[in-house]
């Protein structure tokens, strides 16, 4: 209902009178958002950049797999002589995208009690305790999602590589691009990849920070996946030099609490854990291992989004403080779903939010209209704002920057600390 009302409201705002630059409704709405600063044409926030490349642009151009990685992946598939590869790839892809979170024991118990109560109220229900129990279990099996852990052997690892190598590489590249664009001086030396799979995180990180990264720790419980990732790095063989130096493989997380990494990544791995308690333990461990950035990536589904919001709350609201690194965390980047590869992304950083660029982020597609632009913004204080940007009110530079911006970009405006709450009902995403 909130979405429908919001859409209709935008249509009303789109009506304007002939001879008037901006609809009266648009001007009234813009006045409700005092946080958007006046930026005149003399401002130097653009520097010498064109508007389409203003400093808030964060979208990643189309990326390609490194030729060495793509060539080796094709070679390994050909050597495997696996029948019906395309069919198996499509089946695995559909299965991964249709997965839900595993049902927690407490929820199963609640459902069982509810079903038992319904059966007892029905005079035709089973009367004996054993038959009642069987009826409840049968109903639970029919109505409860049956989550299963995937066990990656050699064959399934190859299928996963064919299905997800390019998409996984693109997703983590987008996350790394966010950090590199906003903090170009950041030069990490160490990286840990939890649930490393085919090693796409290592390849993506090397393509961006290869000049500074000297250690990559790949952690995956599947020995077959680790073998495949190592072969991809060695051109398809078990021997020879790795294309990316300094990569180490292991099946378990480092035990020592003193070991930290500049960048810690978990891509499409939280969804492989069987319970909320297991996810909480892993997220807390990964956060303790993080000295600068923790990057979490999941599929662009409702389940993937819920996983990241769960992890975000665990880190930001958690009372546990590491004796080695007491710095708090803050959300460096929110969720984003590019057209080509749908995924949810969360980047958590150590330190203070003031250390990052504090421009509001665009959380929905920008609506460009004659002489005005609608921007839905997530502000630094977490409030949602709907701003109507016009050249007359906000200056030509800001207006043109807003017109060329996209969902996920930052809008180069300053916001006061005390902002009125937006009438929008959507939850904050940053």
């Amino acid at each position: 209902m909130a979405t429908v009302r919001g859409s209709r409201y935008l249509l009303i705002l789109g009506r304007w009178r002939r001879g008037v630059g901006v609809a009266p409704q648009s001007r009234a709405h813009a006045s409700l958002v005092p946080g958007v600063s006046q930026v005149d044409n003399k401002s130097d926030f653009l520097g010498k950049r064109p508007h389409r490349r203003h400093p808030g642009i964060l979208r990643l151009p189309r990326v390609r797999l490194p030729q060495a990685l793509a060539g080796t992946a094709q070679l390994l598939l050909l050597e495997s002589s696996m029948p019906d590869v395309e069919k198996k790839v499509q089946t695995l892809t559909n299965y991964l995208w249709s997965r839900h979170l595993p049902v927690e024991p407490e929820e199963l118990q609640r459902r069982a009690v509810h079903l038992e109560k319904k059966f007892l109220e029905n005079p035709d229900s089973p009367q004996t305790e054993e038959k009642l129990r069987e009826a409840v279990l049968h109903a639970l099996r029919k109505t409860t999602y049956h989550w299963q852990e995937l066990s990656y052997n050699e064959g399934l690892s190859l299928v996963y590589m064919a299905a997800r190598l390019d998409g996984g590489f693109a997703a983590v590249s987008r996350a790394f691009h966010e950090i590199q664009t906003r903090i170009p001086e950041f030069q990490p030396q160490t990286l840990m990849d939890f649930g490393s799979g085919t090693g796409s995180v290592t390849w993506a990180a090397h393509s961006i920070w290869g000049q500074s990264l000297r250690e990559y720790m790949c952690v995956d419980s599947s020995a077959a996946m680790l073998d495949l990732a190592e072969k991809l790095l060695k051109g398809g063989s078990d021997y020879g030099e790795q294309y990316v130096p300094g990569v180490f493989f292991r099946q378990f997380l480092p035990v020592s609490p003193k070991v930290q990494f500049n960048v810690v990544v978990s891509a499409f791995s939280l969804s492989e854990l069987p319970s909320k308690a297991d996810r909480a333990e892993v997220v807390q461990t990964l956060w303790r291992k993080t000295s600068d950035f923790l990057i979490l990536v999941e599929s662009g589904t409702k389940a993937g989004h819920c996983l990241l919001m769960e992890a975000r709350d665990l880190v930001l609201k958690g009372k546990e403080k590491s004796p080695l690194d007491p710095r708090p965390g803050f959300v460096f980047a929110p969720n984003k779903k590019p057209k080509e590869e749908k995924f949810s992304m969360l980047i958590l950083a150590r330190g203070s939010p003031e250390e990052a660029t504090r421009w509001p982020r665009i959380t929905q597609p920008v609506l460009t209209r004659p002489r005005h632009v609608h921007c839905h913004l997530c502000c630094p204080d977490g409030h949602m704002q709907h701003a109507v940007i016009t050249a007359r009110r906000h200056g030509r530079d800001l207006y043109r920057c807003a017109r060329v911006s996209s969902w996920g970009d930052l809008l180069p405006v300053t916001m006061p600390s005390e902002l009125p709450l937006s009438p929008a009902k959507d939850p904050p995403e940053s």
Side-chain angles (χ1 to χ4, degrees), residues 1-7:
M1 292 297 293
T3 302
V4 174
R5 287 199 299 268
S7 299

Side-chain angles (χ1 to χ4, degrees), residues 24 75 79 106 145-146 182 184 254 274 284 292 315 317-318 332 359 383 408-409 423-424:
L75 174 65
E79 289 180 347
E106 297 82 3
Y145 175 74
H146 183 54
R182 293 173 59 183
Q284 288 171 338
D292 293 290
V315 171
K317 299 178 181 179
F332 185 83
W359 289 338
H383 289 153
D409 290 337

Side-chain angles (χ1 to χ4, degrees), residues 133-151:
R133 181 174 176 272
E134 290 178 356
V136 169
L137 290 176
H138 179 70
L140 277 177
R141 292 190 190 99
K142 291 180 62 177
T143 58
T144 303
Y145 175 74
H146 183 54
W147 185 90
Q148 285 184 305
E149 182 179 0
L150 283 171
S151 180

Side-chain angles (χ1 to χ4, degrees), residues 36-74:
V36 177
S37 299
Q38 183 81 15
V39 180
D40 58 30
N41 294 330
K42 296 180 181 179
S43 173
D44 61 352
F45 76 97
L46 274 171
K48 296 183 179 180
R49 305 184 192 185
H51 295 94
R52 65 180 180 276
R53 296 180 183 174
H54 71 77
I57 295 290
L58 293 174
R59 56 182 175 270
L60 178 66
R62 187 179 297 250
V63 296
R64 294 182 180 274
L65 288 176
Q67 186 57 46
L69 176 59
T72 303
Q74 292 175 350

Side-chain angles (χ1 to χ4, degrees), residues 338-357:
K339 183 177 179 181
E340 294 82 2
E341 170 67 19
K342 292 184 178 180
F343 65 93
S344 295
M345 178 184 78
L346 175 66
I347 303 178
L348 295 162
R350 289 277 190 190
S352 171
E354 287 72 24
E355 298 172 8
T357 302

Side-chain angles (χ1 to χ4, degrees), residues 142-265:
K142 291 180 62 177
T143 58
T144 303
Y145 175 74
H146 183 54
W147 185 90
Q148 285 184 305
E149 182 179 0
L150 283 171
S151 180
Y152 286 97
N153 54 24
E154 183 178 352
L156 188 56
S157 297
L158 283 170
V159 175
Y160 184 87
M161 178 191 71
R164 298 294 306 137
L165 184 63
D166 53 353
F169 179 87
V172 295
S173 293
R174 172 62 182 83
F176 294 155
H177 174 75
E178 173 101 15
I179 298 174
Q180 184 195 43
T181 302
R182 293 173 59 183
I183 311 181
E185 67 275 13
F186 178 64
Q187 295 293 314
Q189 295 186 5
T190 58
L191 177 145
M192 184 180 76
D193 180 14
F194 173 76
S196 54
T198 58
S200 57
V201 168
T202 292
W203 289 85
H206 178 73
S207 66
I208 292 181
W209 294 306
Q211 75 282 2
S212 67
L213 277 170
R214 55 178 176 80
E215 180 184 343
Y216 306 77
M217 179 68 72
C218 296
V219 181
D220 200 293
S221 60
S222 169
M225 274 290 195
L226 293 177
D227 290 341
L228 177 58
E230 190 169 8
K231 283 184 177 180
L232 287 170
L233 283 171
K234 294 181 177 180
S237 69
D238 294 323
Y239 309 99
E241 293 186 4
Q242 296 179 347
Y243 182 84
V244 178
V247 182
F248 303 92
F249 301 93
R250 59 186 302 163
Q251 286 186 271
F252 305 100
L253 286 167
V255 176
S256 173
K258 297 181 180 180
V259 177
Q260 278 194 318
F261 300 83
N262 297 122
V263 179
V264 176
V265 183

